[in-house]
């Protein structure tokens, strides 16, 4: 079995989660930034994005749009990385991401991310400072990454994949 995990990231968290997921799925697994995906010739294609200002990255939604027809023929799963302390909209994000994807994705993974104000570029730092001001709170570092959640999602995908295979026999 061959899996592709295609993702984008600004500060590396989604890349870390993609690596954890690769470890959790059995068989061959390739990881590529959505900008570098050369082929979709895989048994399972998992597409992941972080959430910024209430939306997945446009590089990822564009990838889903550009490869819509090919992805329609594939076993596809999605995941996103967000911070639940900043927002409590994980279900909304999951629904929004589904809108860009083929209708019958196997599952949507929802993963806590990592945030460190000291590494942000100027634009993102200003966005967060404005947000914190409105919130009346300030965070320097938030770490909600959880490898067990990611491994569990990997196992769920393997189960869903074998269900999907059984139903087409
Ligand atoms: C400028 C900025 C905006 C963000 N906006 C949101 C948001 O709207 N909702 C949310 O749940 N998380 C938000 N986050 C948290 C990120 O999704 C989280 O830090 C994630 O781990 C970043 O992943 P990356 O390192 O792969 O880019 C934001 C983070 C930053 C720095």
């Amino acid at each position: 079995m061959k899996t592709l995990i295609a993702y984008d990231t600004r500060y590396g968290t989604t890349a870390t989660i993609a690596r954890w997921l690769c470890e959790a799925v059995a068989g061959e697994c390739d990881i590529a930034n959505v900008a570098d995906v050369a082929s979709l010739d895989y048994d399972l294609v998992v597409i992941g994005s972080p959430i910024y200002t209430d939306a997945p990255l446009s590089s990822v939604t564009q990838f889903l749009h550009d490869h819509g027809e090919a992805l329609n023929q594939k076993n596809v799963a999605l995941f996103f990385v967000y911070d639940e302390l900043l927002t409590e909209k994980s279900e909304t994000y999951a629904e929004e991401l589904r809108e860009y994807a083929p209708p019958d994705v196997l599952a949507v993974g929802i993963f806590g991310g990592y945030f460190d104000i000291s590494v942000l570029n100027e634009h993102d730092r200003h966005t967060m400072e404005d947000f914190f001001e409105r919130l009346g709170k300030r965070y320097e570092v938030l770490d909600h990454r959880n490898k067990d959640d990611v491994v569990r999602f990997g196992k769920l995908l393997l189960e869903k994949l074998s269900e999907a295979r059984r139903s087409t026999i």
Side-chain angles (χ1 to χ4, degrees), residues 65-121:
H65 177 262
D66 291 348
H67 299 281
E69 221 165 288
L71 290 171
N72 229 339
Q73 320 295 322
K74 300 255 148 209
N75 292 303
V76 173
L78 307 170
F79 73 91
F80 64 87
V81 181
Y82 81 119
D83 205 299
E84 65 197 19
L85 263 197
L86 303 180
T87 55
E88 290 169 356
K89 298 183 189 160
S90 57
E91 290 310 323
T92 316
Y93 294 151
E95 274 164 35
E96 278 171 11
L97 196 55
R98 270 180 191 277
E99 279 170 24
Y100 294 96
D104 47 0
V105 292
L106 294 174
V108 183
I110 300 176
F111 303 124
Y114 179 80
F115 165 85
D116 178 353
I117 201 155
S118 72
V119 304
L120 300 184
N121 66 34

Side-chain angles (χ1 to χ4, degrees), residues 12 21 50 88 128 157 159:
L21 194 54
E88 290 169 356
M128 292 320 286
L157 291 185
E159 280 165 28

